């Protein structure tokens, strides 16, 4: 894996003095300096503009960064169109894919958070300081760096101490965190702020489109308005809490605001002493000598090589086309070989919030969801999970399938398609299997229940009135489930007072039991095949008044019927 880029300054009186002198010269040329920062402060001095608008501290973990400053002259033929030719100051050139990513991020943030007023030039300034514009634009057609850009281990030895938070998923280090990608996010910050900027369904800190959009949203956190100098300073300090960092980013921000142009991917200018791979000993991929800002003399890049003739490349995700040098970048001989990361191995499979799997015939179950983790406990993406319905059931996934395979997303989660209950009641299982040759298995029990009545309705609506000692007209009811008649539904009938309290023995209507016994509660009543139940006769005794017949099912469906016992009027 690539190490961090070459010369970065964080502490030390000599280096800080050099940077401060350059900033002073920049100020003399009317370049703006940070408005809320103490220009005399050290690299780690707190700023009056400091806030906590970001979650989890500085986006980069306050890791090292480039301190090279831009030329002190305005770029020749300034412009901002991605269609401009590579002209003017070499330092003003931004690789095509990188520039497209910054502008695309500005547009997307402007669409969702217009009040932030994010300028793409701020992303360009941070990208320059953090990674030399993704190693001078060494990215593929989708915007992903050819090899990872990694900062040093944040092990407390000269840098911050940040113990591993991602199991090495992003930075390949399971002991300490490292800043990752062209915008140098630490893994814990990427986990919160990571974005899919190129629409490929993944959030990759090594992709310039994803990283630029994440940086834009991070800088806009807390309702900042980046057109205000104080808010812009706070945003930059939240990215890396250092006054020296703020001054350096500010100088590049001003430089890019005065003009820039597009250059082919892979031909951007790297900070002094760096190469395309991030090491300091290999030749720079930039073949063109760079004029010195202070003397006007020419200082050639180490071991210059001829610039290949550019040819048009496919449309970038950010829009427009740009020339791409030949041969293709993946085989660029100036790029030192990197050691590939070992493949991540499935370690466990866990429930990812699957609800209780219970449904009635024809209904959908809750979705079965699992999460795959690697051997270090980090979410594992792109793992194949096979879901299978087993047991005596006619429940099926969408499309009538009993087996489906789904790949986990970036968060390690795989969710099975919709599962629908069939007509067969009873239990069955859904198994989730992942991993070869040592599979991990997770089993869920599902239950198909018989439909239960959700309503009872009386047939007819005539008033039920009887004289003392007489019999009420027959009472007929229908049990239904979702509007359909439901057979074999158990019903309990209870006779009560008009206020719902139990009747005293010998007072009020009753059902007639064996040997003429008066019963005021009947159980074991069941609807027929048509869902209809006709109750046994209800008798009135000599007690006049208004009474209640209450009918209930085991599922809780209830119906009340008013009964009136009243003597007939004399003729």
């Amino acid at each position: 894996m690539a190490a961090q880029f070459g010369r970065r300054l964080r502490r030390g009186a000599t280096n800080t003095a050099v940077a401060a002198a350059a900033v002073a010269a920049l100020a003399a040329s009317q370049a703006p300096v940070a408005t809320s920062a103490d220009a005399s402060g050290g690299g780690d001095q707190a700023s009056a503009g400091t806030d906590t608008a970001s979650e989890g501290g500085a986006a980069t973990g306050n890791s090292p960064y480039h301190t090279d400053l831009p030329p002190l002259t305005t770029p020749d033929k300034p412009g901002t169109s991605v269609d401009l030719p590579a002209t003017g100051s070499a330092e003003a050139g931004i690789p095509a894919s990188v520039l497209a990513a910054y502008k695309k991020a500005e547009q997307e943030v402007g669409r969702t958070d217009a009040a932030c007023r994010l300028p793409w030039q701020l992303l360009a300034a941070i990208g320059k300081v953090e990674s030399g514009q993704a190693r001078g634009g060494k990215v593929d057609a989708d915007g992903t760096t050819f090899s990872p850009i990694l900062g040093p281990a944040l092990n407390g030895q000269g840098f911050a101490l940040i113990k591993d938070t991602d199991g090495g998923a992003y930075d390949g280090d399971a002991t300490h965190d490292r800043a990752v990608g062209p915008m140098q996010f630490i893994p814990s910050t990427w986990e919160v702020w990571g974005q899919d900027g190129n629409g490929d369904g993944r959030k990759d800190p090594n992709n310039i489109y994803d990283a630029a959009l994440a940086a834009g949203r991070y800088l806009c956190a807390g309702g900042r308005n980046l057109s205000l100098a104080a808010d812009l300073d706070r945003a930059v300090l939240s990215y890396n809490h250092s006054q020296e960092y703020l001054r350096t980013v500010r100088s590049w921000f001003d430089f890019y605001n005065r003009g820039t142009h597009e250059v082919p991917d892979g031909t951007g200018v790297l900070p002094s002493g760096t190469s395309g791979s991030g090491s300091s000993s290999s030749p720079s991929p930039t073949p063109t000598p760079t004029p010195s800002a202070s003397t006007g003399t020419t200082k050639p890049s180490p071991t210059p090589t001829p610039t290949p003739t550019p040819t048009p490349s496919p449309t970038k995700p950010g829009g427009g086309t740009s020339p791409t040098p030949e041969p293709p970048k993946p085989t660029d001989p100036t790029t030192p070989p990197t050691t590939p990361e070992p493949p991540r191995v499935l370690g466990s499979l866990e429930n990812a919030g699957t609800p209780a799997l219970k449904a009635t015939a024809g209904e959908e179950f809750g979705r079965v969801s699992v999460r795959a983790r690697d051997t270090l406990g980090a979410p594992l993406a792109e793992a194949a999970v096979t879901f299978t319905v087993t047991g005596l059931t006619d429940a099926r996934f969408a499309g009538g399938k009993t087996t489906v395979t789904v790949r986990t997303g970036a968060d390690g989660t795989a969710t099975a398609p919709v599962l629908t209950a069939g007509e067969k009641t009873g239990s069955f299982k859904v198994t989730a299997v992942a991993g070869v040759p040592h599979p991990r298995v997770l089993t869920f029990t599902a239950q198909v229940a018989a439909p239960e009545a959700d309503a009872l309705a009386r047939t007819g609506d005539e008033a039920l009135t009887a004289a003392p000692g007489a019999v009420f007209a027959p009472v007929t009811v229908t049990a239904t489930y979702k509007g359909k008649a439901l057979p074999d539904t158990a019903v309990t009938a209870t006779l009560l007072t008009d206020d719902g309290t139990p009747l005293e023995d010998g007072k009020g209507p009753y059902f007639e039991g064996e040997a003429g016994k008066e019963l005021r509660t009947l159980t074991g009543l069941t609807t027929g095949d048509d869902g209809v139940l006709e109750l046994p006769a209800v008798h009135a005794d000599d007690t006049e008044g208004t009474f209640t017949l209450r009918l209930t099912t085991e599922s809780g469906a209830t119906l009340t019927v008013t009964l009136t016992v009243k003597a007939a009027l004399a003729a």
Side-chain angles (χ1 to χ4, degrees), residues 129-327:
V129 173
E130 291 295 345
S131 69
Q133 309 298 20
R135 298 188 182 117
K138 285 203 161 189
V139 297
D140 63 20
D142 293 324
T144 302
T145 59
F146 291 130
S147 59
I149 301 175
L150 298 174
L154 298 175
N155 55 13
Q157 299 180 18
F159 312 119
L161 173 60
I162 303 180
K163 293 184 178 180
D164 176 65
T165 61
D166 67 331
Y170 294 119
D171 58 11
D173 190 332
T175 304
H176 296 94
D177 273 349
R178 297 170 181 258
V180 181
M183 302 304 279
Q184 290 289 278
F185 278 95
I186 56 173
S188 58
T189 306
W190 182 261
E191 192 66 27
V192 175
W193 293 93
Q195 301 288 316
D196 177 14
N198 63 351
D200 65 355
R202 304 186 66 180
K203 299 176 182 179
D204 183 0
N206 294 298
N207 181 278
I208 185 60
Y209 289 93
D210 295 359
L213 182 56
R217 296 205 186 285
Y218 183 95
L219 293 166
C220 288
R224 295 188 183 110
N225 177 355
L226 300 183
S227 67
L228 303 177
D231 274 9
L232 188 145
D233 287 353
R234 293 188 186 100
V236 174
L237 286 169
S238 78
Y239 211 86
N240 191 314
H241 190 72
S242 161
Q243 295 294 327
E244 181 184 335
Y245 182 82
L246 174 61
R247 288 192 293 269
T248 306
V249 170
R250 270 285 196 172
S251 66
W252 282 108
F253 177 56
D254 174 67
F255 182 74
Y256 288 137
N257 270 316
R258 285 181 285 137
T260 188
H261 55 270
E262 176 188 293
V263 298
D265 287 348
T267 64
V269 176
L270 292 176
S272 300
T274 68
S275 71
S277 66
S279 64
S280 58
S281 59
S282 301
S284 169
T286 307
T288 306
T290 304
S292 169
S294 58
T295 65
T297 60
T298 299
K299 52 178 182 180
S301 301
T303 316
T305 56
T307 302
T309 302
T311 56
S313 66
T315 300
K316 302 291 181 182
T321 60
S322 65
T324 302
E326 296 180 353

Side-chain angles (χ1 to χ4, degrees), residues 495-534:
L495 294 164
L496 307 164
T497 64
D498 61 349
D499 60 2
T501 60
L503 291 171
E504 298 180 16
D505 289 345
K507 292 185 178 181
Y510 60 92
F511 298 107
E512 189 172 82
E514 294 181 0
K517 183 179 179 179
E518 295 182 0
L519 301 175
R520 288 177 171 80
T521 298
L522 282 182
T523 59
L525 304 173
T526 305
T527 60
D529 292 341
D530 56 357
V532 176
L533 168 66
E534 182 175 327

Side-chain angles (χ1 to χ4, degrees), residues 313-535:
S313 66
T315 300
K316 302 291 181 182
T321 60
S322 65
T324 302
E326 296 180 353
K329 294 300 181 298
T331 58
D332 186 347
T334 66
T335 303
T338 58
T339 303
E341 294 187 31
R344 296 172 62 198
V345 178
L346 176 68
S348 64
L349 198 63
E350 63 185 36
N351 188 347
T354 302
L357 300 178
K358 185 176 181 180
T360 58
E363 291 186 339
E364 295 179 358
F365 291 92
R367 301 286 287 275
V368 180
S369 185
V370 300
R371 179 174 289 106
R373 295 188 181 276
D374 64 16
T375 51
L376 296 175
L380 182 62
E382 296 300 320
V385 181
T386 299
F387 297 92
T388 304
V389 175
T390 59
L392 299 176
T393 178
D394 51 358
R396 296 290 183 268
F397 291 118
K401 298 179 180 179
T402 58
T403 299
V404 293
T405 298
V406 179
R407 289 196 173 271
T408 57
D411 62 352
T413 300
T415 301
V418 171
L419 178 64
T420 304
E423 296 296 326
K424 294 181 180 179
T425 60
S427 63
F428 64 95
K429 296 184 184 300
V430 179
T431 59
V433 181
V436 176
H438 304 294
R440 301 292 186 270
V441 180
L442 202 58
T443 301
F444 301 87
T445 298
Q447 181 75 33
V448 179
E452 296 180 327
D454 56 14
L456 281 172
R458 181 183 165 208
T459 303
D461 58 0
E462 67 277 7
L464 294 175
T465 302
V471 177
F472 287 91
V475 177
T476 303
V477 297
T478 302
T480 58
Y481 173 72
K482 292 188 175 181
K484 295 183 179 180
L486 190 65
D488 301 320
T489 300
V491 177
T492 297
T494 306
L495 294 164
L496 307 164
T497 64
D498 61 349
D499 60 2
T501 60
L503 291 171
E504 298 180 16
D505 289 345
K507 292 185 178 181
Y510 60 92
F511 298 107
E512 189 172 82
E514 294 181 0
K517 183 179 179 179
E518 295 182 0
L519 301 175
R520 288 177 171 80
T521 298
L522 282 182
T523 59
L525 304 173
T526 305
T527 60
D529 292 341
D530 56 357
V532 176
L533 168 66
E534 182 175 327
L535 272 65

